[in-house]
Amino acid sequence: MSAHIVLTRIDNRLVHGQVGVTWTRAVGANLIVVANDQAAADPLQQKLMATTADSTGVGIRFFSLQKTIDIIHKAADRQKIFIVVKTPADAVKLVEGGVPITKINVGNMHYGKGKKEITKKVYVDEQDQKDLLQLASHEDIRVFIEDYPGEKKFTVDESLFK
């Protein structure tokens, strides 16, 4: 039996109100897993994110990418897991590590030098684009941009980057 992952979201802010409350409720998650090496080692960042999770009554765990890969298969059936990563590269590492991800929501990827606008909230550089297309190339993984539950979805494929 594989872990019950309801959604994986790429958001460079990790867990904040929109993720911790709106998305968690929309997907019916009861556990948020923040898979991020820096957050896993930063108690202050964890405390801030845990406050958001506590407000919705869901559990939250902070694991490095490797620890997520190592333990995700031990998750209980009753856990409806919402994984949050910071970058497309993090999602690629989880998928390559065997984490059974089927849906990836690209949420927030801030503007930075060398990044181009895909939507109002998603900016990518060449590596991000390559990673997103690699994820989308898996026939069992649906990758889409959706800022807020119920808003217009953009499927991630080659045409998105033209």
Side-chain angles (χ1 to χ4, degrees), residues 3-11 13-36 49 52-53 56 58-63 68 72 75-86 94 99-108 144 146-149:
H4 185 171
I5 298 168
V6 293
L7 184 68
T8 299
R9 179 173 167 100
I10 297 169
D11 193 319
R13 301 167 299 173
L14 295 172
V15 176
H16 50 89
Q18 186 182 345
V19 167
V21 179
T22 311
W23 276 103
T24 302
R25 286 188 178 138
V27 300
N30 59 18
L31 178 64
I32 300 169
V33 171
V34 176
N36 179 266
M49 288 189 257
T52 302
T56 53
V58 299
I60 188 166
R61 304 285 179 277
F62 302 92
F63 299 138
T68 304
I72 198 73
D77 289 347
R78 69 181 180 282
Q79 291 176 313
K80 293 179 183 69
I81 303 167
F82 179 18
I83 297 177
V84 183
V85 297
K86 200 168 202 146
L94 294 180
V99 176
I101 291 171
T102 58
K103 287 189 294 209
I104 299 175
N105 164 246
V106 183
N108 228 298
F144 58 95
E146 184 182 20
D147 182 39
Y148 213 72

Side-chain angles (χ1 to χ4, degrees), residues 64-156:
S64 66
L65 293 168
Q66 190 56 53
K67 185 168 182 181
T68 304
I69 291 165
D70 294 344
I71 69 165
I72 198 73
H73 299 286
K74 297 175 184 161
D77 289 347
R78 69 181 180 282
Q79 291 176 313
K80 293 179 183 69
I81 303 167
F82 179 18
I83 297 177
V84 183
V85 297
K86 200 168 202 146
T87 65
D90 290 350
V92 167
K93 185 166 181 183
L94 294 180
V95 168
E96 288 178 346
V99 176
I101 291 171
T102 58
K103 287 189 294 209
I104 299 175
N105 164 246
V106 183
N108 228 298
M109 293 175 58
H110 290 161
Y111 174 77
K113 191 170 168 49
K115 293 193 174 221
K116 67 177 182 179
E117 182 177 341
I118 302 302
T119 68
K120 282 190 315 224
K121 301 275 177 79
V122 176
Y123 294 82
V124 299
D125 59 22
E126 280 182 42
Q127 188 60 51
D128 294 332
Q129 183 174 324
K130 195 175 139 212
D131 291 337
L132 288 170
L133 289 171
Q134 180 182 338
L135 292 163
S137 73
H138 291 262
E139 61 187 44
D140 52 345
I141 301 176
R142 196 164 55 94
V143 185
F144 58 95
I145 296 172
E146 184 182 20
D147 182 39
Y148 213 72
E151 282 191 354
K152 182 171 172 32
K153 283 184 188 174
F154 300 90
T155 300
V156 172

